[in-house]
């Protein structure tokens, strides 16, 4: 029996190296612990600062989802100051969010995930040589196209925000920019370039219209068989290879899923309130419980945080995130019986631990809950049922499936801008509490802000990583990635690529490093990066 | 072949993400056409089956020549100088830095956190963060004032939150092609070629600055952001309006005030209440004036500029 430790870094909320310890028995993972290894203390930094400090500081929590943090931070202030947000501004915020996520998908898929398909473990797969041709780091044909094309969508973000990453163009009351015909035309052209140079020819092997006819798993498999171009596209090739090498056979997780929903409807959320948010999102929020096959609505009041196994001196009770005080423990010694992570454990008061991310979004999109006008799409939910639940492979499919939908939403924003209408309505600053949320590419993100005496009294963030990477909770229950690692087959304990696949399937933003230790000697056998 | 090792301390990966947006050369070009070998990078490195600790140790021992060490993120010293709040490969990151800094031919600090401490070092600096050779404007930082790498240069600072991808790629290429000696550094160790001019240089709102026509509030296509909205463009050293961002724009062009993020004081005034997106004034005059401008002269300039301003300076300028 060997024990392996996997380091993932960074993690959304405290953004740092996260280690994962796994126990392996008879070639399979039987236990796992995830722990975040960097603390910067953003919530502490924000205390006592200008109410709008979050617009500058929180994007810097994560350079990958900075626009998502900005989205949450600005909506939080909107609800706090009871602003009016003009229609144009809602569209401009949505377009920024969409552009960031469209950047993230190819960058993540090629740069962080697919390169591992070239791992020697798969050399016996009949897809292996082609995988190397396509996905090899820096030199693979698709890798180079994919990583380069990933810079294109954020050019649209820059047309609105001046730059990506780290603009603060979204502000309570709207946006700072007032795009002109030039900006909108260029944005359209960039979007088209993305479609005609990569999305259709390289990724899908078909038109967006043809892909949009896929509504069930059978439709998808029929699409695959229908045309050589579908099979040989990067999506078609990846799907076939993943089935061949068994990526569909492990990485299940907790079986319950959460999304806040995102993209505020431009006509339904001009007077933002915390209570009114969820019913005003185009992509609906909610919780999907696969054990009872039920969907339910999500609300920020359902959230709890637990720091029993985290390096904070804040007790062991489940508390609401807005009640947290963020008191880091100076001595962060790893103790797997007690505290072993900078991440807290996040829970739903009724459902417990939930998985966040693209898979969660798509499983919720398949439900009949929410408003009748909200986006509904049953494809991934159907695939989930066909495949017997979640797995590494399906998480990838869910993530890339959003590309075409986001493309359509981007078109919608560009169509709907009315260039002579307002982009900003100056709000009146006041004390109080606010909450804002969105979906970053990698899952549910929310900010709580409390302002007293004209300065921040408390600022709390729950990032996708906090949901997924959190350690055991007060009841000792494993977090989503810890749970997803259980049962993972390890083909070669000196190179446990599968542990990497599972961790990467959650797209934990960056690096994970796997060390494998021989349990008897504690000798380290291997280490490699995952993301 | 120029070996590059890229590590992250108290980082958000913003500079990595910025770097990946590079064009002319792209990151792939850098590797294919400029002889740069990335030994390891937190989000790109592919060490399957290899032991990263061994790779790092080989860099430390000199077995693998370490031509360029790129560091992103702050150096975390908490708690109490131990660095345990930022562990990497089973060791405080700062201990790796101590060892690697002795082995590296050149060291490049990318982004504000690595250069001056950046946002993590904002008051109260819970992570006890420093930059590599500065803490804010104060020389020293983690490696000390007198530190020089093996090639005889101090840490080359490429600040910004994030740094522009071209600033990063061009410095890497300059080193790889033996041209780094042509590059003069300023007193903050920034390459002058990018940081000698002001953010304002090339700003499309310059003419409004000249006529003292202000952008009163956000979401407008006219005026200059310096007078009311706290723009630091005239006082900030960067090439953001010469070498545009993401090929297309800049903060000030779209109507966002420059935050001065290439300067050590960023975020200015520690984001104290009343300092965000608001120009700090005394009797209606901005507290901070463009470098070298005297208050008295500024007052005269203002009067003349306002008197001379054509009517269009107050109208919507960049119409739809």
């Amino acid at each position: 029996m060997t024990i392996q430790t996997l380091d993932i870094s960074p993690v959304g909320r405290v953004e740092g190296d996260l280690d994962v310890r796994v126990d392996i028995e008879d070639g399979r993972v039987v236990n796992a612990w995830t722990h975040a290894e960097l603390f910067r203390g953003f919530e502490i930094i924000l205390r006592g600062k200008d109410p709008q400090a979050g617009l500058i500081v929180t994007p810097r929590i994560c350079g990958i989802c900075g626009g998502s943090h900005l989205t949450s931070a600005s909506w939080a202030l909107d609800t706090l100051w009871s602003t009016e947000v003009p229609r144009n501004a809602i569209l401009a915020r949505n377009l920024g969010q969409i552009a960031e996520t469209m950047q993230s998908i190819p960058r993540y898929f090629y740069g962080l995930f697919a390169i591992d398909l070239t791992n020697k473990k798969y050399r016996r797969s009949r897809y292996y040589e082609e995988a190397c041709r396509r996905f090899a780091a820096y030199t693979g044909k698709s890798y180079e196209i994919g990583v380069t094309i990933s810079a294109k969508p954020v050019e649209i973000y820059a047309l609105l925000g001046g730059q990506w990453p780290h603009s603060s163009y979204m502000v309570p009351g709207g946006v700072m920019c007032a795009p002109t015909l030039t900006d909108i035309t260029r944005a359209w052209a960039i979007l088209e370039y993305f479609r005609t140079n990569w999305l259709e020819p390289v990724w899908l092997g078909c038109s967006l219209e043809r892909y949009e006819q896929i509504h069930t798993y059978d439709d998808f498999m029929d699409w695959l068989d229908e045309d050589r171009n579908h099979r040989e596209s990067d999506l078609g090739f990846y799907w076939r290879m993943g089935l061949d090498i068994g990526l569909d056979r492990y990485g299940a997780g907790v079986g319950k899923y959460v999304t806040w929903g995102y993209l505020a409807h431009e006509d339904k959320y001009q007077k933002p309130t915390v209570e009114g948010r969820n019913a005003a999102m185009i992509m609906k929020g909610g919780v999907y419980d696969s054990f009872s096959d039920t969907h339910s609505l999500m609300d920020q009041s359902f959230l709890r945080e637990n720091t029993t196994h985290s390096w904070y001196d804040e007790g062991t009770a489940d508390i609401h995130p807005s009640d947290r005080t963020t008191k880091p423990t100076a001595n962060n010694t790893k103790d797997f019986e007690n505290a072993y992570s900078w991440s807290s454990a996040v829970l739903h008061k009724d459902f417990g631990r939930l998985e966040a991310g693209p898979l969660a979004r798509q499983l919720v999109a398949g439900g009949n809950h929410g408003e009748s006008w909200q986006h509904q799409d049953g494809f991934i939910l159907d695939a989930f049922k066909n495949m017997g639940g979640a797995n590494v492979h399906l998480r990838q499919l869910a993530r890339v499936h959003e590309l075409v939908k986001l493309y359509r939403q981007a078109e919608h924003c560009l169509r709907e801008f009315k260039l002579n209408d307002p982009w900003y309505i100056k709000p009146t600053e006041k004390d109080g509490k606010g909450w804002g949320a969105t979906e970053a590419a990698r899952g549910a993100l929310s900010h709580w802000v409390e302002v007293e005496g004209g300065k921040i009294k408390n600022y709390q963030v729950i990032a996708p990583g906090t949901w997924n990477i959190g350690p055991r909770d007060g009841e000792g229950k494993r977090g989503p990635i810890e749970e997803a690692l259980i049962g993972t087959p390890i083909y070669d304990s000196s190179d446990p690529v599968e542990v990497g696949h599972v961790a990467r399937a959650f797209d934990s933003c960056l690096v994970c490093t796997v060390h494998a230790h021989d349990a008897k000697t504690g000798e380290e056998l291997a280490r490699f990066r995952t993301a | 072949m120029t070996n590059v090792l890229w590590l992250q301390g108290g980082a958000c990966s913003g500079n990595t993400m910025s770097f990946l947006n590079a064009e002319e050369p792209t990151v792939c070009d850098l590797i294919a056409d400029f002889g740069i070998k990335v030994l390891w990078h937190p989000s790109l490195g592919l060490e399957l089956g290899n032991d990263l600790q061994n790779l790092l140790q080989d860099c430390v021992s000199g077995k693998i020549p370490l031509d360029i060490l790129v560091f992103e993120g702050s150096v975390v010293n908490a708690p109490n100088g131990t660095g345990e709040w930022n562990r990497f490969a089973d060791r405080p990151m700062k201990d790796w830095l101590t060892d690697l800094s002795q082995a590296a031919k050149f060291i490049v600090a990318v982004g504000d956190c690595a250069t001056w401490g950046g946002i993590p070092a904002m008051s109260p600096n819970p992570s006890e963060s420093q930059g590599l050779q500065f803490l804010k404007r104060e020389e020293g930082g983690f490696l000390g004032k007198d530190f020089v790498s093996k090639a005889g240069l101090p840490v080359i600072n490429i600040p910004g939150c994030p740094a522009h991808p071209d600033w990063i790629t061009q410095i890497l290429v300059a080193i790889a092609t033996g041209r780094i000696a042509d590059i003069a550094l300023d007193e903050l160790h920034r390459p002058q070629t990018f940081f000698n001019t002001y953010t304002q240089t090339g700003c499309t709102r310059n003419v409004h600055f000249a006529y003292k026509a202000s952008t009163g509030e956000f979401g407008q296509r006219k005026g200059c952001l310096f007078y009311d909205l706290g723009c630091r463009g005239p006082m900030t050293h960067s090439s953001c309006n010469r070498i545009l961002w993401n090929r297309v724009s800049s903060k000030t062009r779209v109507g966002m005030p420059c935050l001065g993020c290439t300067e050590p004081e960023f975020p200015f005034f520690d984001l104290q209440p009343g300092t965000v997106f608001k120009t700090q004034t005394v009797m209606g005059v901005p507290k901070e004036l463009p470098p070298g401008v005297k208050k008295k002269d500024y007052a005269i300039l203002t009067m003349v500029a306002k008197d001379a301003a054509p009517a269009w300076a107050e109208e919507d300028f960049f119409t739809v």
Side-chain angles (χ1 to χ4, degrees):
Chain A
M1 183 179 128
T2 55
I3 292 177
Q4 301 171 331
T5 309
L6 166 73
D7 299 319
I8 304 173
S9 117
V11 180
R13 191 173 190 177
V14 285
E15 201 104 80
D17 297 291
L18 180 96
D19 292 8
V20 180
R21 167 171 294 195
V22 246
D23 289 353
I24 298 169
E25 207 168 357
D26 297 332
R28 286 196 181 262
V29 173
V30 292
N31 210 346
W33 296 260
T34 54
H35 48 117
E37 283 284 11
L38 169 67
F39 182 75
R40 286 174 300 162
F42 273 68
E43 285 107 341
I44 297 171
I45 287 169
L46 280 162
R47 278 179 212 153
K49 304 294 197 292
D50 188 279
Q52 294 186 93
L55 301 169
I56 295 171
V57 172
T58 64
R60 274 93 179 176
I61 289 175
C62 173
I64 300 159
C65 318
S68 307
H69 278 285
L70 182 61
T71 302
S72 291
S74 54
W75 285 117
L77 287 167
D78 283 314
T79 60
L80 165 67
W81 287 347
S82 315
T83 64
E84 186 177 344
V85 182
R87 191 173 182 276
N88 272 343
I90 297 178
L91 293 163
R93 289 184 190 184
N94 288 353
L95 186 55
Q97 171 74 77
I98 292 163
E100 179 172 277
T101 301
M102 284 176 74
Q103 161 272 144
S104 194
I105 294 172
R107 193 167 285 189
Y108 158 79
F109 180 80
Y110 295 108
L112 303 180
F113 187 81
I115 44 179
D116 287 318
L117 301 173
T118 64
N119 184 287
K120 63 182 185 315
K121 175 194 171 180
Y122 303 123
R123 65 187 180 278
R124 290 191 198 86
S125 165
R126 60 200 161 107
Y127 299 95
Y128 183 71
E129 279 177 26
E130 181 62 17
C132 292
R133 263 196 295 278
R134 291 187 195 215
F135 301 138
Y138 308 120
T139 54
K141 203 163 136 274
S142 297
Y143 179 100
E144 190 164 358
I145 296 171
V147 169
T148 305
I149 205 85
S150 70
K152 284 289 161 194
V154 286
E155 290 177 359
I156 298 173
Y157 191 101
L159 286 165
L160 302 166
Q163 65 177 70
W164 188 91
H166 294 348
S167 167
S168 300
Y169 79 97
M170 308 175 196
V171 279
V175 288
M176 293 176 173
C177 59
T180 61
L181 178 66
T182 309
D183 302 315
I184 301 303
T185 313
R186 290 188 82 179
W188 269 115
I190 292 164
L191 199 60
E192 294 288 343
Y193 180 94
F194 183 80
R195 177 175 63 84
T196 56
N197 286 274
W198 175 73
L199 182 51
E200 286 181 342
V202 178
W203 181 251
L204 297 174
C206 69
S207 66
L208 304 189
E209 289 75 13
R210 172 63 191 93
Y211 183 80
E212 285 167 322
Q213 291 165 4
I214 297 169
H215 300 297
T216 64
Y217 190 60
D218 286 347
D219 288 351
F220 179 66
M221 295 312 274
D222 290 346
W223 169 85
L224 207 56
D225 289 333
E226 177 183 297
D227 188 311
R228 190 172 173 276
N229 289 329
H230 302 176
R231 277 193 301 284
E232 294 300 328
S233 71
D234 278 355
L235 172 60
F237 176 79
Y238 167 69
W239 194 252
R240 290 181 297 130
M241 179 172 181
L243 294 177
D244 185 59
I245 60 176
L247 294 181
D248 57 324
R249 295 200 285 272
Y250 59 94
V254 292
K256 290 177 284 184
Y257 305 87
V258 64
T259 164
W260 290 122
Y262 69 139
L263 305 180
H265 191 287
E266 63 272 15
D267 296 322
K268 297 183 197 287
Y269 203 48
Q270 290 173 17
K271 300 225 164 124
T273 61
V274 175
E275 300 70 32
R277 178 194 177 274
N278 299 337
M281 296 296 130
I282 295 169
M283 302 292 181
K284 64 188 169 201
V287 173
Y288 175 62
D289 176 355
S290 69
F291 301 103
S292 60
D293 191 24
T294 52
H295 290 84
S296 51
L297 294 172
M298 182 63 193
D299 188 273
Q300 63 87 30
S301 65
F302 300 161
L303 236 60
R304 299 292 178 268
E305 257 188 294
N306 185 288
T307 54
T308 303
H309 293 280
S310 318
W311 289 308
Y312 299 97
D313 302 326
E314 298 172 51
T316 56
D318 290 350
I319 58 169
H320 189 266
S322 64
D323 295 327
R324 273 201 63 193
T325 48
T326 314
K327 293 181 192 145
T329 307
N331 179 6
N332 59 318
T333 311
K334 271 179 264 191
D335 175 355
F336 291 100
E337 297 301 308
N338 295 295
Y340 61 91
S341 180
W342 284 116
S343 181
S344 59
V346 188
L347 307 98
H348 183 292
K349 70 174 175 61
D350 302 321
F351 292 104
R353 308 301 289 275
L354 304 172
E355 174 180 332
L359 176 63
R361 283 198 289 273
Q362 292 313 303
L363 294 175
V364 169
N368 294 317
H369 64 298
E371 308 296 311
S372 60
W373 59 269
Q374 288 178 314
H375 173 82
Q376 212 233 3
D377 175 359
F379 167 42
I380 297 294
L381 182 59
D382 186 64
F384 179 92
K385 289 175 179 174
N386 263 283
M387 297 174 92
N391 54 68
V392 168
H393 208 28
L394 184 62
R395 273 193 196 94
Q396 300 310 311
L397 185 65
R399 196 185 209 294
V400 296
H401 178 61
E402 291 185 318
L403 264 167
V404 175
K405 300 200 262 195
L406 289 169
Y407 188 95
R408 295 302 192 207
Q409 290 294 330
E411 286 180 318
H412 172 82
C413 293
L414 289 168
R415 245 196 325 269
E416 290 295 324
F417 283 135
K418 296 191 169 80
L419 298 182
N420 287 312
D421 285 0
W423 301 85
Y424 174 78
I425 298 167
K426 196 175 168 67
T428 309
E429 301 191 19
K430 61 177 192 190
D431 287 0
K433 289 184 179 186
W435 176 73
T438 188
E439 283 286 320
R442 47 202 53 75
L445 171 68
S446 50
H447 288 202
W448 288 260
V449 60
E450 186 178 354
V451 172
E452 199 175 85
K455 57 186 184 202
I456 292 171
K457 184 184 174 195
N458 194 7
Y459 206 105
Q460 293 293 333
V461 176
I462 299 277
T466 329
W467 282 102
N468 292 335
I469 292 162
R472 280 157 176 71
D473 57 26
E475 294 178 356
K477 290 205 175 101
R478 283 185 284 257
I481 296 184
E482 291 179 334
E483 195 59 44
L485 284 162
I486 306 300
T488 299
I490 306 294
Y491 164 81
D492 172 1
S493 66
S494 72
D495 182 10
V497 64
E498 304 85 349
V499 175
H501 285 322
V502 174
R504 282 190 205 102
F506 284 83
D507 183 12
S508 15
C509 284
L510 272 195
V511 194
C512 324
T513 310
V514 175
H515 337 223
H517 293 278
D518 184 293
K520 293 186 187 104
T521 62
E523 180 195 334
E524 187 154 317
L525 301 169
R527 158 183 301 229
F528 74 105
R529 73 139 221 61
T530 71
Chain B
M1 229 10 156
T2 306
N3 286 343
V4 177
L5 175 68
W6 184 312
L7 296 179
Q8 294 174 336
C12 76
S13 296
N15 295 286
T16 288
M17 288 298 126
S18 185
F19 176 64
L20 287 172
N21 294 336
E23 284 204 351
E24 297 167 359
T26 66
V27 172
C28 292
D29 294 342
L30 214 54
I31 286 141
D33 306 334
F34 289 90
I36 284 174
K37 179 170 195 256
V38 179
L39 295 172
W40 194 79
H41 178 292
S43 39
L44 304 170
L46 187 66
E47 302 306 311
L48 288 174
N50 283 352
D51 185 336
L52 178 61
Q53 275 190 39
N54 287 344
L55 177 93
L56 296 172
Q57 291 294 4
D58 287 347
C59 289
V60 171
S61 71
K63 191 171 161 190
I64 297 175
L66 177 54
D67 296 307
I68 307 175
L69 172 64
V70 175
F71 198 70
E72 174 181 10
S74 65
V75 184
V76 172
N77 294 291
N80 310 317
T82 62
E84 293 285 345
W85 283 12
N86 177 22
R87 284 192 290 248
F88 172 73
D90 277 344
R91 243 182 129 189
M93 176 54 93
K94 77 182 189 61
D95 295 351
W96 282 115
L97 260 181
T98 301
D99 293 347
L100 290 163
S101 65
Q102 297 304 310
K105 215 165 155 193
F106 295 92
I107 300 181
V108 180
V110 169
D112 282 350
C113 299
T115 51
W116 340 113
I119 287 203
M122 243 175 104
S123 149
N125 194 353
S127 56
E128 298 170 40
S129 278
Q130 292 172 294
L132 285 181
Q133 222 168 352
F134 285 86
L135 175 56
K136 304 294 175 187
R137 198 169 285 267
E138 186 190 335
E139 275 191 279
F142 178 68
L143 293 172
K145 184 170 173 294
D146 301 323
F147 173 86
V148 286
S149 64
K150 272 189 164 167
L153 284 179
V155 172
I156 299 168
N157 281 335
I158 307 180
C161 192
H164 190 293
D166 292 11
W167 307 341
I168 305 170
T169 55
Q170 287 175 33
I171 291 300
L172 295 181
V173 167
I175 294 173
T177 55
R179 181 163 287 162
I180 195 69
D182 296 350
I183 306 299
L185 302 181
D186 68 12
E187 75 283 1
L188 295 168
H189 307 180
R190 301 177 293 196
Q192 287 191 8
T193 181
F194 308 124
F195 299 100
N196 207 31
T197 54
Y198 297 104
T199 307
Q200 189 180 22
T201 313
C203 178
T204 48
R205 296 166 184 261
N206 260 340
V207 69
H208 291 81
F209 176 81
Y211 288 125
K212 304 286 182 277
S214 173
T215 309
E217 57 181 53
F218 294 127
Q220 295 182 2
R221 299 190 181 100
K222 63 172 186 189
C224 168
L225 306 156
F226 169 77
Y227 300 104
D228 289 301
L229 298 178
C231 181
R232 303 196 59 84
M235 301 84 93
T236 300
H237 294 88
S238 90
S239 40
C240 295
N241 277 299
R242 289 191 295 124
I243 305 172
L244 293 183
W245 280 85
N246 311 83
R247 296 189 315 120
V248 295
S249 199
S250 75
K251 282 189 179 124
T252 63
R253 288 184 181 208
V254 302
M256 175 173 168
C258 164
L259 303 172
C261 79
T262 50
E263 300 292 345
E265 290 78 11
F266 172 81
F268 280 80
F269 315 114
D270 270 342
L271 306 180
Q272 289 305 315
T275 64
V276 173
F277 309 138
K278 294 183 182 82
T279 303
Q280 306 301 294
T281 57
V282 183
M283 316 277 289
V285 179
K287 266 190 198 170
E288 287 178 273
L289 298 174
V293 175
K294 296 189 180 71
K295 273 211 162 54
K296 187 164 62 79
D297 297 342
Y298 180 84
I300 297 167
L301 212 58
T302 303
M303 273 195 319
V304 175
K306 286 212 159 171
D307 283 349
W312 56 255
E314 294 295 341
E315 293 161 10
D316 216 350
F317 193 59
F318 298 100
T319 43
V320 166

